[in-house]
Amino acid sequence: MPGVLKTEGDDLESLVLSQASGGKSANMAGGINGSHDHEPQQHNNRPLVNGIPNVSINQQVYGEVTVPEPSQAVLSAMGDLIGQLPPEIEHITFGYLSFSALITRLVQETFNGLTDCINEMSELQVPQMNGASAADTSQVNVRKRLRLLNFLQERRAQFIKILVLSQWSRQAQAISRVIDMRIWLDGKRRLYDDACNWMGELKRILELERKPNPDLRTALEALSLGKSPRLPDLGYLPPDRLSPQRLLRTVRGINTQLSLRLNLHETLPPAFRNFSVANGRVTFRVQDEFQVDLSIANDDLSSQMYFIDFRFDFEPTPPELPPGQLRSGIENKVNELLSRDGLGGCYRFLHDFVLSHKLNVLRHQAYRMSQAKWSEHLNVEAVHRSLVVQYWIGRPGGKNWIEIGIRRRNVGNASCFHEEEDEPHIGLRWFRAGKEVSDVPVTVNLRELSVEDMLKQIVAAHADSIFRETLARLKEHSLYSKNVLRLKHFRSRLVPASHLFIQLTASQSCSIMQEPITGNFGLLPPSSLHSRGERELNGLGAPEKGAASRIAQLRAIASCDEVERTVRCYGWEVVRSLRPSLEVLRQHFGPDTARASFFRKRAWNARWLLAFTASLMGDYWWIVELNEQSSKPDPLTASGMSIRDAFKLPTNSSLAAASVEVSLADLTQIEYSAAGLISQFTDTRELSAQCIPHKFVRTVPGRSCPDLPTLYVHFTRNRAQKFQKDSDAVKVPWSSQNIRASFMGVDASKSTAHHLILAQRNSAALRSRRLNVMVGDFIKVHPTSPAVAFPLNNPIGQSTVPAILERLARIQRLMDYVRTLQAFGLDPQNLSLDRFEFAYSTQPQVCRAEIFFTGLKEFPQLFLNRGNPHLRIKDHLMSLFRKPNGLKRVIWFLQLSLPLMQAFAAIEATNTKNTAVVLPRSAEWYQIYYRDPAGRLDVRLRKRRDELKWFVQHSGLPAKRGQDRQLHDQLDSLLRGKGEGWNGVHQGIAASMDGVHAVVEKIDEIFSQHVAPPPTQSRLAAGPADRCKKQDLKGQKRKAEDDSDVVVLD
């Protein structure tokens, strides 16, 4: 007990009890387990031991009374008791924490928290506002203040706790002694309780060991004499021994009694109707359950029957019940029920016992399965009298389990069974994804119990239902419903024999099966694509609903990969950076689209792609127009672009295309169709934007690209001019008839679309039948009608309408020029849309002109051959050419001025000393300057009497002195003369187109006759002519303006 005092060392002198009084009393409070300072306390100059002053044994203090010292015998007795004292009370120090360490940790935590608070406050930026007061009320500043305030309040609470602890620690030593005493008392109390419990348990155990005292006297008499007068004698007579004959008669009598009783008097349960009587017992056989042997004890029909033997009639069970407690319990229970309820009660008990035993057998089998190869994939639970086996516990989705238990159909009549189907029996319920399956396709073998066989049948039925539902969903689409691709379900009641065969493409197929233990799907043959399909199928929570979509995706991937491998071999580029979402794909390509691959021909426009889409409805080829989203999209990767629109290609049947591999011929046809459709679409969009009537008409197969119609456009003059940006361009005359544009294919070398254009002109047909020969292959003109046809190569992706109009305008311009030439009796040479030539004279030399066309916006250029006399007035001819009906003006003027130009050429050819110079002032005014003798002649084209004439006049002649008089006389005589094609008039000569050549030659002869000999000084020889030329140049322009007879050609 507490309060035991112990001396320091071995010099204990006495054990005293002291009653403290005032300052002289002993201090009992502070002496337990040592003092506060861990030093011995003093009491009356004596050390305290366990809080009691160490006094002599002869001094026992009662107040102020001192007891005398004891004798030597007492001291020796007390010395013997020293070794029997209990141990000192244990001082508890575990879990104590230094107060200084606690303060240090709190300070460090406060510092870290303040640092974090300052950092968080610095991250909150105060908005810049006008005035400090506005910033102080901002939301950020309020949050800063709240953060700091919360931190300070939390720290303040912690330091208050430290203050409380510091005040409490001043009494820590006293409280520590109280804790030590409390723990010591609790330990003693536990020892007391344990002793009581041990004594009670010992008493309970000894009750079983109590036996009556043996009767040794009676035992000795019985063992030695064989009898004892103490034993009672009941007077029983020993039975007579039975002979074999009597035994046989007895057994036969029992058999007869049993047969009569069972057939005539007993009411047998339906299950006990199968019985046999032999060997003095009746054996009732319940199929697949048990066999029980019963017999009777007397002839009374109302007496009960008795239990003889019991055997199970199913596997796996022992053939007989071993002797022991189980057999004795069954025998006693059966005999009791036979005496009370008869055979009906016996059957119900044994039937219920067998059903329970069957459930136990199945449960043990299920537990063994969960610990063997089905481990981690099977969950077994016993709920009341039912066995619940959950399979495929690792698969996502709802739970799947089977429940094996006792099923009762006739619950209301449980006392007896009038019909066999009303009896309780082993039943099975199947729950798939948490829902019970009404029709369970499983046969429960009650003869040979095997829960593994039941589970395999259930798993096979589950896999079969998944494959059957997947097959039905796939059959809803055209590829498999029309047997384009093969699809077959191989059924079996065992797994994994049941599987689903699916043909993905013309060259790929797979088989899907389900592993029975884990429930995971497997695809054969192994490949990276099939591994991806396995992962997707195994991630489905409801595979019977989602497997069809995953298979469709798998087929789409296989089909697109196969096409990509093929097209890369033929030079097509796969655009992988364009990855629209599934919603975008189904928006443009149809709701059943599962995947799409995009391709590009390198020479095509960057906005146009080819797309191949795969779905269960069929595989299709599309042309895709991209919508530019960046200023500089990459034409090879289609980055920065999105799908604007998509159009299906009119290729062969998509269903048939899914069952055959893509060949070079197919790709060529696809490329042709895509190029034609792109061209027609761009043309249609541009025509629709300009509100120009157009339509597509199906033509005879083989005349254009297969399955592509012909475009007919009806232009009006105003609508056609919308495509011509230049107002001065040649007007399109093709407005009264339709223009037909037929797509003819693709030029692989230039990557352009080849079109054939047919149009009708408004004007009449050209007279020349040799025009087709002259123009070559670039244009075909009908010889008797205004129809014209020409091929047109246009870059794929660009509209052909502006090119058609530009080509028609150039053809029209060419035809107009040809008609103009034919009107003047000239035939074009080297005719093309870029140039043509014509010869307007052959004597004395060939005079040929060539017209070059650089475009509709630029004016044609006129070129003359070398030695052509009209080269001196080429610039003036170009001025005429730029005027309306320019070619007509030029040809007319060429023919009109040809004799005059030939005369000028002849003068320059014969005048080797360069004394005559021809200066063209305009197309209708020319001046001839002579140096020796000095003179000037003007040749002008004027109208006289509604007829154009060349008027020749002389001016700037020297005075009539000396030899110059003779020159004047000859010129005056010529002016008054008359000749073929010319006639002298007042101060000049009027010559016709053919006569002007003779007049110019005669005047040149006159000047040539009066050439003076070479002067000694070159200045004197050139002076008169130069001075005469300078004097007359000033008045020429004024005189030309005043002359009312000048002909203006325009």
Side-chain angles (χ1 to χ4, degrees):
M1 60 176 293
V4 175
L5 303 179
K6 182 179 180 182
T7 62
E8 292 181 333
D10 297 331
D11 57 349
L12 179 62
E13 298 179 353
S14 62
L15 182 61
V16 299
L17 296 175
S18 175
Q19 181 176 1
S21 175
K24 301 180 181 180
S25 63
N27 187 1
M28 299 292 293
I32 301 178
N33 293 337
S35 64
H36 294 282
D37 299 331
H38 302 282
E39 295 180 356
Q41 294 184 356
Q42 301 294 325
H43 178 73
N44 296 332
N45 296 324
R46 291 181 178 269
L48 291 177
V49 179
N50 289 337
I52 305 297
N54 188 7
V55 297
S56 175
I57 190 129
N58 297 322
Q59 295 178 357
Q60 186 175 9
V61 181
Y62 293 97
E64 297 295 332
V65 180
T66 302
V67 180
E69 293 184 1
S71 63
Q72 187 66 29
V74 175
L75 293 176
S76 61
M78 294 300 295
D80 296 336
L81 296 175
I82 292 175
Q84 300 179 6
L85 293 177
E88 187 179 358
I89 297 176
E90 182 182 3
H91 180 60
I92 304 299
T93 60
F94 178 77
Y96 280 33
L97 182 65
S98 175
F99 186 70
S100 60
L102 184 62
I103 295 178
T104 302
R105 293 181 184 178
L106 181 61
V107 171
Q108 183 65 34
E109 183 180 357
T110 303
F111 176 77
N112 296 337
L114 181 60
T115 303
D116 296 339
C117 179
I118 293 174
N119 293 335
E120 292 180 8
M121 293 172 61
S122 63
E123 294 177 357
L124 300 176
Q125 301 295 332
V126 179
Q128 301 294 331
M129 304 180 64
N130 295 328
S133 61
D136 292 341
T137 59
S138 63
Q139 188 70 19
V140 178
N141 206 347
V142 171
R143 290 172 58 190
K144 284 186 175 182
R145 295 178 180 178
L146 288 177
R147 177 69 178 88
L148 182 59
L149 181 60
N150 293 334
F151 172 75
L152 294 177
Q153 289 179 349
E154 180 185 358
R155 293 294 94 191
R156 180 177 179 272
Q158 295 295 332
F159 277 100
I160 289 175
K161 294 179 181 179
I162 291 296
L163 178 60
V164 173
L165 290 176
S166 66
Q167 295 176 355
W168 177 84
S169 64
R170 299 174 185 176
Q171 303 176 359
Q173 293 183 356
I175 295 175
S176 176
R177 289 193 295 270
V178 173
I179 294 174
D180 295 342
M181 291 295 296
R182 174 60 184 271
I183 294 177
W184 186 84
L185 288 174
D186 290 342
K188 296 302 179 180
R189 185 179 293 110
R190 284 195 301 270
L191 291 176
Y192 177 77
D193 294 339
D194 292 343
C196 294
N197 293 335
W198 177 80
M199 293 174 63
E201 184 68 16
L202 181 61
K203 182 178 180 181
R204 186 182 66 81
I205 294 175
L206 293 177
E207 287 291 334
L208 300 177
E209 301 298 330
R210 294 181 63 182
K211 295 182 178 179
N213 295 329
D215 187 1
L216 299 179
R217 182 178 180 181
T218 305
L220 290 174
E221 291 178 354
L223 293 175
S224 60
L225 302 177
K227 62 180 179 177
S228 176
R230 298 177 182 276
L231 295 177
D233 186 6
L234 300 179
Y236 289 143
L237 298 178
D240 298 335
R241 294 182 62 87
L242 295 177
S243 62
Q245 293 80 9
R246 188 175 179 182
L247 286 175
L248 181 60
R249 288 195 301 271
T250 303
V251 170
R252 288 178 178 177
I254 295 175
N255 292 341
T256 303
Q257 292 293 331
L258 287 174
S259 298
L260 293 175
R261 182 172 177 174
L262 292 177
N263 289 312
L264 299 178
H265 302 283
E266 289 288 346
T267 302
L268 300 178
F272 274 6
R273 293 174 183 174
N274 181 16
F275 65 89
S276 62
V277 178
N279 301 326
R281 65 181 68 182
V282 56
T283 301
F284 295 100
R285 294 182 176 86
V286 180
Q287 186 178 2
D288 299 336
E289 290 191 13
F290 62 90
Q291 297 180 12
V292 60
D293 296 339
L294 303 179
S295 185
I296 57 177
N298 51 44
D299 297 338
D300 189 4
L301 297 178
S302 61
S303 63
Q304 74 169 68
M305 303 181 74
Y306 293 93
F307 175 85
I308 302 299
D309 196 6
F310 177 84
R311 296 173 299 278
F312 290 108
D313 196 23
F314 60 90
E315 297 292 337
T317 54
E320 295 182 357
L321 285 178
Q325 187 176 0
L326 176 61
R327 181 180 180 88
S328 300
I330 294 177
E331 181 177 358
N332 295 333
K333 187 64 178 179
V334 170
N335 291 331
E336 178 185 354
L337 291 174
L338 287 173
S339 64
R340 186 179 63 226
D341 300 328
L343 293 177
C346 175
Y347 169 73
R348 285 194 298 272
F349 170 72
L350 293 178
H351 178 67
D352 190 65
F353 169 73
V354 171
L355 293 182
S356 299
H357 183 63
K358 284 185 176 181
L359 290 178
N360 289 331
V361 172
L362 294 175
R363 183 173 68 253
H364 289 302
Q365 291 180 355
Y367 280 127
R368 286 195 299 269
M369 288 176 57
S370 64
Q371 297 172 1
K373 63 180 180 180
W374 290 77
S375 62
E376 298 182 359
H377 303 287
L378 209 64
N379 188 16
V380 181
E381 294 182 7
V383 181
H384 302 293
R385 296 183 66 188
S386 298
L387 175 64
V388 178
V389 181
Q390 180 186 353
Y391 61 95
W392 295 352
I393 60 177
R395 280 199 55 83
K399 296 181 179 180
N400 307 292
W401 73 88
I402 59 174
E403 183 178 341
I404 305 173
I406 298 176
R407 178 172 295 180
R408 301 178 184 271
R409 292 196 181 99
N410 191 359
V411 182
N413 188 11
S415 61
C416 61
F417 303 102
H418 301 283
E419 296 295 337
E420 188 175 357
E421 58 269 13
D422 294 338
E423 299 176 0
H425 62 282
I426 297 292
L428 185 143
R429 300 170 67 191
W430 179 22
F431 292 85
R432 187 174 61 196
K435 298 181 180 179
E436 184 178 2
V437 180
S438 59
D439 187 11
V440 181
V442 176
T443 301
V444 180
N445 188 358
L446 299 178
R447 181 70 180 179
E448 297 179 0
L449 297 179
S450 175
V451 69
E452 184 174 5
D453 182 65
M454 298 180 192
L455 192 58
K456 285 185 177 180
Q457 295 184 50
I458 288 292
V459 169
H462 196 161
D464 184 75
S465 66
I466 293 176
F467 292 151
R468 186 171 58 252
E469 182 67 22
T470 302
L471 179 70
R473 291 179 181 270
L474 292 175
K475 284 289 187 179
E476 295 176 357
H477 301 85
S478 303
L479 281 181
Y480 295 107
S481 63
K482 297 182 179 180
N483 296 326
V484 178
L485 297 177
R486 291 185 298 163
L487 179 65
K488 188 174 182 180
H489 178 203
F490 294 91
R491 300 180 180 180
S492 175
R493 295 190 63 183
L494 299 177
V495 289
S498 178
H499 66 278
L500 186 64
F501 175 81
I502 302 174
Q503 183 183 4
L504 301 177
T505 63
S507 60
Q508 299 186 45
S509 60
C510 69
S511 295
I512 303 177
M513 57 184 58
Q514 195 167 17
E515 206 277 327
I517 297 179
T518 63
N520 293 331
F521 291 93
L523 273 70
L524 295 177
S527 66
S528 59
L529 179 62
H530 293 171
S531 298
R532 176 178 178 179
E534 289 180 1
R535 290 192 300 270
E536 293 184 356
L537 289 176
N538 292 329
L540 294 175
E544 62 276 0
K545 297 180 180 179
S549 61
R550 295 301 186 275
I551 293 173
Q553 186 72 18
L554 185 67
R555 199 210 75 83
I557 294 174
S559 182
C560 290
D561 290 346
E562 188 175 281
V563 172
E564 288 179 5
R565 289 193 300 269
T566 304
V567 300
R568 278 198 296 265
C569 298
Y570 296 111
W572 289 22
E573 296 178 355
V574 180
V575 181
R576 298 192 180 278
S577 59
L578 183 60
R579 296 182 179 274
S581 62
L582 186 60
E583 292 75 10
V584 176
L585 287 179
R586 292 182 175 179
Q587 178 183 357
H588 292 283
F589 302 113
D592 297 323
T593 303
R595 190 178 177 88
S597 296
F598 300 93
F599 313 99
R600 184 197 304 280
K601 295 290 290 183
R602 184 175 293 273
W604 283 17
N605 190 292
R607 293 189 306 110
W608 293 96
L609 301 176
L610 270 172
F612 174 80
T613 60
S615 66
L616 294 181
M617 299 303 295
D619 297 341
Y620 300 94
W621 286 91
W622 304 70
I623 57 172
V624 177
E625 183 183 13
L626 299 180
N627 189 13
E628 297 184 5
Q629 296 179 348
S630 61
S631 58
K632 294 182 180 180
D634 190 352
L636 296 180
T637 62
S639 59
M641 298 184 181
S642 60
I643 298 177
R644 179 182 179 182
D645 211 340
F647 307 92
K648 187 184 298 183
L649 288 180
T651 54
N652 294 332
S653 173
S654 62
L655 298 179
S659 61
V660 297
E661 297 185 11
V662 180
S663 61
L664 178 60
D666 298 332
L667 293 179
T668 303
Q669 179 185 357
I670 291 169
E671 181 180 356
Y672 279 17
S673 300
L677 196 58
I678 291 173
S679 300
Q680 291 183 352
F681 174 74
T682 52
D683 295 343
T684 304
R685 175 180 290 178
E686 191 161 357
L687 292 173
S688 300
Q690 300 296 336
C691 299
I692 296 177
H694 61 279
K695 65 178 180 178
F696 288 97
V697 178
R698 290 286 179 181
T699 57
V700 179
R703 296 185 61 181
S704 62
C705 189
D707 299 329
L708 287 181
T710 301
L711 176 63
Y712 284 84
V713 184
H714 183 76
F715 282 107
T716 61
R717 189 175 300 276
N718 295 333
R719 290 174 176 171
Q721 291 176 358
K722 295 180 181 180
F723 292 93
Q724 300 179 357
K725 300 180 181 180
D726 191 358
S727 59
D728 297 333
V730 179
K731 301 300 184 295
V732 180
W734 317 84
S735 59
S736 62
Q737 299 292 335
N738 291 330
I739 296 177
R740 190 181 74 180
S742 301
F743 177 74
M744 302 304 295
V746 178
D747 188 353
S749 60
K750 300 180 181 179
S751 296
T752 56
H754 183 63
H755 303 268
L756 180 62
I757 311 301
L758 179 63
Q760 293 284 341
R761 301 170 64 249
N762 290 338
S763 57
L766 298 177
R767 297 191 305 271
S768 177
R769 293 180 178 271
R770 299 186 298 107
L771 186 59
N772 286 328
V773 178
M774 290 186 293
V775 298
D777 296 334
F778 71 94
I779 184 173
K780 295 296 181 181
V781 181
H782 198 275
T784 60
S785 67
V788 61
F790 59 89
L792 179 65
N793 291 333
N794 199 54
I796 299 174
Q798 295 183 6
S799 175
T800 59
V801 176
I804 292 174
L805 294 178
E806 190 266 344
R807 181 67 61 86
L808 290 176
R810 293 176 63 184
I811 293 175
Q812 177 62 32
R813 181 178 58 184
L814 180 63
M815 296 297 102
D816 292 341
Y817 286 166
V818 171
R819 186 177 291 103
T820 300
L821 292 177
Q822 292 179 348
F824 284 95
L826 302 177
D827 290 331
Q829 301 173 1
N830 298 329
L831 190 63
S832 68
L833 292 179
D834 298 329
R835 59 183 290 273
F836 70 90
E837 299 178 4
F838 63 91
Y840 56 90
S841 176
T842 58
Q843 296 295 333
Q845 64 178 1
V846 178
C847 296
R848 184 181 294 106
E850 186 174 2
I851 306 296
F852 279 91
F853 309 108
T854 56
L856 292 177
K857 296 182 180 180
E858 299 180 5
F859 204 82
Q861 298 294 324
L862 175 65
F863 294 92
L864 301 176
N865 62 322
R866 176 178 294 183
N868 196 313
H870 284 92
L871 283 174
R872 69 180 68 251
I873 60 171
K874 178 183 176 182
D875 295 339
H876 300 294
L877 293 176
M878 284 298 301
S879 300
L880 290 177
F881 199 14
R882 290 188 178 94
K883 296 179 180 181
N885 297 323
L887 183 61
K888 184 176 182 181
R889 292 171 181 269
V890 169
I891 296 176
W892 172 79
F893 190 77
L894 287 175
Q895 294 179 347
L896 177 65
S897 60
L898 180 61
L900 179 61
M901 297 299 107
Q902 290 176 347
F904 289 159
I907 291 175
E908 292 178 347
T910 57
N911 194 344
T912 58
K913 297 183 178 181
N914 199 19
T915 57
V917 178
V918 178
L919 181 63
R921 296 296 181 182
S922 65
E924 63 274 3
W925 178 21
Y926 305 91
Q927 289 182 342
I928 305 175
Y929 290 93
Y930 288 94
R931 295 183 178 180
D932 186 18
R936 186 185 67 195
L937 294 177
D938 291 333
V939 181
R940 297 172 182 264
L941 183 63
R942 296 180 179 177
K943 184 181 292 186
R944 184 183 183 191
R945 298 175 184 176
D946 297 333
E947 184 179 0
L948 291 176
K949 297 288 186 179
W950 288 103
F951 282 85
V952 182
Q953 296 177 334
H954 64 85
S955 60
L957 293 177
K960 296 181 179 182
R961 297 192 300 266
Q963 294 180 356
D964 294 336
R965 183 181 298 276
Q966 185 179 1
L967 176 61
H968 281 276
D969 294 340
Q970 291 179 356
L971 290 176
D972 292 341
S973 174
L974 182 62
L975 294 178
R976 291 191 296 270
K978 182 178 181 182
E980 183 179 357
W982 60 276
N983 187 18
V985 295
H986 180 65
Q987 295 182 353
I989 298 175
S992 63
M993 304 303 123
D994 297 330
V996 68
H997 186 277
V999 173
V1000 173
E1001 286 183 348
K1002 290 182 180 295
I1003 294 176
D1004 184 67
E1005 291 176 359
I1006 294 174
F1007 275 90
S1008 299
Q1009 294 174 2
H1010 296 82
V1011 175
T1016 55
Q1017 298 179 359
S1018 59
R1019 179 187 297 180
L1020 297 176
D1026 293 339
R1027 288 193 300 270
C1028 181
K1029 180 177 181 180
K1030 293 179 181 178
Q1031 292 175 359
D1032 295 338
L1033 284 176
K1034 296 180 181 179
Q1036 289 176 358
K1037 186 174 182 181
R1038 186 183 304 108
K1039 184 176 182 181
E1041 293 174 355
D1042 295 340
D1043 195 347
S1044 60
D1045 293 335
V1046 175
V1047 176
V1048 181
L1049 296 181
D1050 54 343

